[in-house]
Amino acid sequence: MKDESNNRKPGPNDPCWCGSGKKYKKCHHGNEAGVPQPAPRKDPLLLNTAERDAMRKACRVNAELMDYIRDYVKAGITTREIDTLIHQWTTSRGHIPATLGYRGFPASLCTSPNQVVCHGVPGDYRLKDGDIINLDLTTIVEGWHGDQSETLFVGPVSDEAVALTQCSFDCMWAAIDVIKPYSRVIEIGRAISAIAKARGFSVVKEYQGHGIGRVFHQKPHIPHFPDAYHGQQILEPGMCFTIEPMINAGTWKTVLDRRDNWTVYTADGRLSAQFEHTILMTETGPEVLTVTKRGPQRGHKFISPVAAA
Ligand code: MF3
Ligand code: CO
Ligand code: CO
């Protein structure tokens, strides 16, 4: 994800940090000695008590939305109809679907069936028995973002689909359970890669977890593989971020749809599955902010629904 955290020094034409409204180059640039400086902005951001509560609330709303939509995911519904339900639920409560208009994304959630890795655009696709589909929901509540996704089964699905879905779920929870205050990000990627490798699946590299708060995507980068560079980041109490491993049945490589510039497919056309939670690192350990009341909980074992008689 592109870094939007905006912690750069002001450029010459940016507003001066002193609040004068003048350009930096016409104001304090080169003339900062003896002048009180703004506190350097912490990046990744560390949330205070009130900010943590605001994130808890946004994530609780988003989790309720996940609990609401799950039962609609049945053979015969189109992804556009799911999008309409998500948009209505969210806006009727005075909240904002974060993806709608985000860098031009045209819908209120991402719908990623089967060989779609992530960022699937809702449209005419009609769900059919045997599909798996990831719904990725992000809601802005009073300025704060809650972000989570689940992979769901549409009727009876293949053994491979069950195993892959289980793998992405177990990878996410293993990563959550391995981190403590002051852990390094690389521990997340190590935990995920070990499980995926042991089960013969692969971990997507190009799309990663991310810091989250008032901004949808910010630092830290959360790679789901052991990345020597971003992996050095320390997870401090007050940091809020997502863990969202995309696990592929075949190659980890992906291709971007050249028609919509959004939909990401597996390069080999095989299945991909993903789960996502938003997590707050506290002084005593990770707090999962997007737990649902009715969805799969830590330790869940997925089974294929049986065929209707
Ligand atoms: N919710 C996705 C994530 O987990 C991001 C979707 S951005 C969109 O980070 F523009 F594709 F919608
Ligand atoms: Co995310
Ligand atoms: Co998401």
Side-chain angles (χ1 to χ4, degrees):
M1 294 296 173
K2 193 176 139 222
D3 174 22
E4 294 181 290
S5 52
N6 195 28
N7 69 329
R8 302 174 295 278
K9 286 180 67 176
N13 290 313
D14 288 339
C16 189
W17 51 263
C18 76
S20 64
K22 292 191 236 172
K23 289 181 177 176
Y24 179 54
K25 69 181 178 194
K26 299 265 183 191
C27 194
H28 277 100
H29 182 47
N31 180 27
E32 278 151 318
V35 180
Q37 296 291 299
R41 178 158 170 191
K42 288 239 184 189
D43 192 356
L45 298 176
L46 302 181
L47 304 188
N48 66 27
T49 304
E51 292 166 334
R52 294 180 191 195
D53 280 342
M55 273 304 287
R56 289 186 179 102
K57 181 172 177 190
C59 290
R60 190 163 59 238
V61 169
N62 201 60
E64 266 177 52
L65 177 56
M66 187 64 85
D67 274 334
Y68 160 77
I69 201 65
R70 222 179 274 107
D71 288 344
Y72 290 97
V73 178
K74 293 263 161 30
I77 197 170
T78 66
T79 51
R80 183 177 286 109
E81 287 164 350
I82 295 172
D83 179 50
T84 301
L85 290 166
I86 294 290
H87 187 266
Q88 284 173 352
W89 191 99
T90 304
T91 55
S92 70
R93 284 161 180 75
H95 307 311
I96 299 170
T99 58
L100 188 58
Y102 177 78
R103 302 188 187 190
F105 191 82
S108 296
L109 82 162
C110 299
T111 53
S112 301
N114 300 323
Q115 77 283 11
V116 178
V117 173
C118 63
H119 303 168
V121 181
D124 295 331
Y125 184 74
R126 200 175 287 282
L127 302 190
K128 60 181 193 316
D129 282 345
D131 283 349
I132 63 171
I133 183 166
N134 178 274
L135 302 189
D136 192 338
L137 312 181
T138 314
T139 308
I140 307 175
V141 177
E142 292 163 24
W144 297 84
H145 292 70
D147 186 11
Q148 72 196 109
S149 81
E150 291 183 7
T151 295
L152 303 168
F153 297 155
V154 184
V157 301
S158 68
D159 292 347
E160 181 178 67
V162 174
L164 189 69
T165 301
Q166 186 74 58
C167 185
S168 58
F169 186 78
D170 293 347
C171 284
M172 176 185 68
W173 278 106
I176 293 169
D177 288 340
V178 84
I179 54 175
K180 301 186 295 283
Y182 306 105
S183 291
R184 286 186 194 267
V185 161
I186 199 164
E187 297 306 328
I188 292 170
R190 284 190 180 133
I192 291 168
S193 294
I195 293 174
K197 193 173 175 194
R199 299 188 196 182
F201 298 135
S202 67
V203 180
V204 170
K205 297 187 182 188
E206 293 104 317
Y207 302 90
Q208 311 187 349
H210 50 91
I212 185 165
R214 285 192 175 280
V215 172
F216 194 167
H217 295 110
Q218 60 188 1
K219 285 186 183 175
H221 294 264
I222 308 285
H224 303 111
F225 64 98
D227 181 71
Y229 182 70
H230 294 302
Q232 297 316 307
Q233 172 71 50
I234 288 172
L235 295 172
E236 290 183 56
M239 284 177 49
C240 207
F241 53 91
T242 71
I243 297 180
E244 48 180 302
M246 287 141 272
I247 306 297
N248 293 353
T251 179
W252 56 268
K253 291 187 180 160
T254 65
V255 288
L256 180 65
D257 190 314
R258 272 176 284 184
R259 296 159 299 180
D260 66 16
N261 262 300
W262 278 110
T263 310
V264 177
Y265 300 93
T266 55
D268 57 8
R270 293 183 65 184
L271 293 178
S272 184
Q274 179 182 25
F275 286 83
E276 173 177 27
H277 271 313
T278 298
I279 291 143
L280 171 69
M281 182 56 79
T282 76
E283 286 70 12
T284 55
E287 180 179 333
V288 183
L289 302 185
T290 39
V291 285
T292 61
K293 289 205 170 77
R294 296 171 43 226
Q297 309 292 317
R298 177 197 269 106
H300 183 81
K301 297 297 173 215
F302 292 85
I303 51 167
S304 173
V306 288

